[in-house]
Amino acid sequence: QQPVQSPQAVILREGEDAVINCSSSKALYSVHWYRQKHGEAPVFLMILLKGGEQKGHEKISASFNEKKQQSSLYLTASQLSYSGTYFCGTEGGRDYGGSQGNLIFGKGTKLSVKP
Amino acid sequence: DAGVTQSPTHLIKTRGQQVTLRCSPKSGHDTVSWYQQALGQGPQFIFQYYEEEERQRGNFPDRFSGHQFPNYSSELNVNALLLGDSALYLCASSGNPSYEQFFGPGTRLTVL
């Protein structure tokens, strides 16, 4: 089941904050967040494992509520470099010996930061 | 430390042809996953290789096949190409105990 991301698009001014949500209809083991700029590969931002943890990287942080099967990405004091499409990738479980399960990605949230 | 590399960068094929895409994982990574990304969409999981075996597979037909070599590099093969196979093909690598998947730059496949 593909996770649902909201909003589909958001336009910010430099310095403004934004929240991107990711919801799944199935139980999740982990949620992965990526940013992709036009014509480039997705760049890993962070991973959240089940346990309701919150992680942060500079001015970008995220939370994971496994009971609600939701994750949110928080971007504070946005910079021009934050522009791009943000994808959440969800992982439903790990029932094999490999290092990671496959990811099901949402359709993305396009973020545009204006000067 | 080189990241994930893919070749070729771009490919143009005609319907019915066959194509092979290549991926070298990030140093220290032993797991390779392949994704197809259509324009304006998120990546879609094709399959994953670990210890030279296909460990998981997404909802893709048997025309899509792959291989992993002892040095962990991988190939994606697509037979009997269709117009709908035109997309960006991404390879991602990961390694125990790390959970993160790192993507390569992708191969842009155009089927005419």
Side-chain angles (χ1 to χ4, degrees):
Chain A
Q1 291 279 11
Q2 185 177 38
V4 177
Q5 288 187 234
S6 63
Q8 289 183 319
V10 59
I11 300 175
L12 299 175
R13 292 284 181 190
E14 263 188 301
E16 292 182 336
D17 302 339
V19 179
I20 300 172
N21 300 302
C22 175
S23 296
S24 175
S25 60
K26 60 181 285 187
L28 299 177
Y29 180 88
S30 67
V31 179
H32 305 226
W33 285 97
Y34 289 83
R35 176 172 60 215
Q36 186 176 31
K37 294 184 182 285
H38 183 68
E40 300 179 9
V43 173
F44 173 80
L45 293 176
M46 63 187 72
I47 178 176
L48 300 103
L49 304 179
K50 67 177 181 179
E53 65 176 287
Q54 185 157 352
K55 297 187 76 171
H57 176 67
E58 296 182 347
K59 295 178 181 176
I60 300 176
S61 61
S63 62
F64 178 27
N65 186 325
E66 63 184 275
K67 289 184 179 179
K68 293 185 177 180
Q69 294 149 197
Q70 293 176 347
S71 178
S72 295
L73 186 71
Y74 307 93
L75 301 104
T76 58
S78 59
Q79 306 168 14
L80 295 176
S81 61
Y82 287 4
S83 293
T85 301
Y86 289 77
F87 292 100
C88 69
T90 56
E91 181 186 17
R94 300 183 178 195
D95 54 359
Y96 68 100
S99 62
Q100 192 165 5
N102 77 75
L103 296 179
I104 303 174
F105 285 90
K107 292 187 176 181
T109 295
K110 186 173 182 180
L111 179 74
S112 300
V113 181
K114 308 290 185 184
Chain B
D1 174 29
V4 181
T5 60
Q6 292 186 243
S7 63
T9 307
H10 295 87
L11 261 182
I12 299 175
K13 293 285 188 179
T14 56
R15 280 180 299 175
Q17 285 189 309
Q18 178 263 344
V19 68
T20 297
L21 311 181
R22 296 176 176 83
C23 170
S24 290
K26 187 177 169 63
S27 178
H29 285 184
D30 57 6
T31 302
V32 173
S33 302
W34 286 92
Y35 292 84
Q36 180 195 66
Q37 187 176 25
L39 206 59
Q41 301 294 317
Q44 272 198 293
F45 176 76
I46 302 175
F47 42 56
Q48 182 182 78
Y49 277 86
Y50 173 68
E51 292 188 341
E52 302 181 51
E53 289 188 4
E54 182 182 295
R55 300 305 295 262
Q56 294 196 65
R57 188 178 183 92
N59 189 26
F60 278 80
D62 292 344
R63 298 187 297 108
F64 290 76
S65 63
H67 187 77
Q68 185 179 36
F69 300 94
N71 66 353
Y72 307 121
S73 66
S74 177
E75 287 182 350
L76 164 65
N77 301 292
V78 186
N79 295 321
L81 285 167
L82 304 174
L83 295 179
D85 294 333
S86 295
L88 180 67
Y89 288 84
L90 295 163
C91 163
S93 73
S94 56
N96 242 337
S98 167
Y99 298 105
E100 299 91 342
Q101 287 193 22
F102 291 90
F103 283 87
T107 295
R108 172 73 63 186
L109 173 65
T110 302
V111 182
L112 303 176

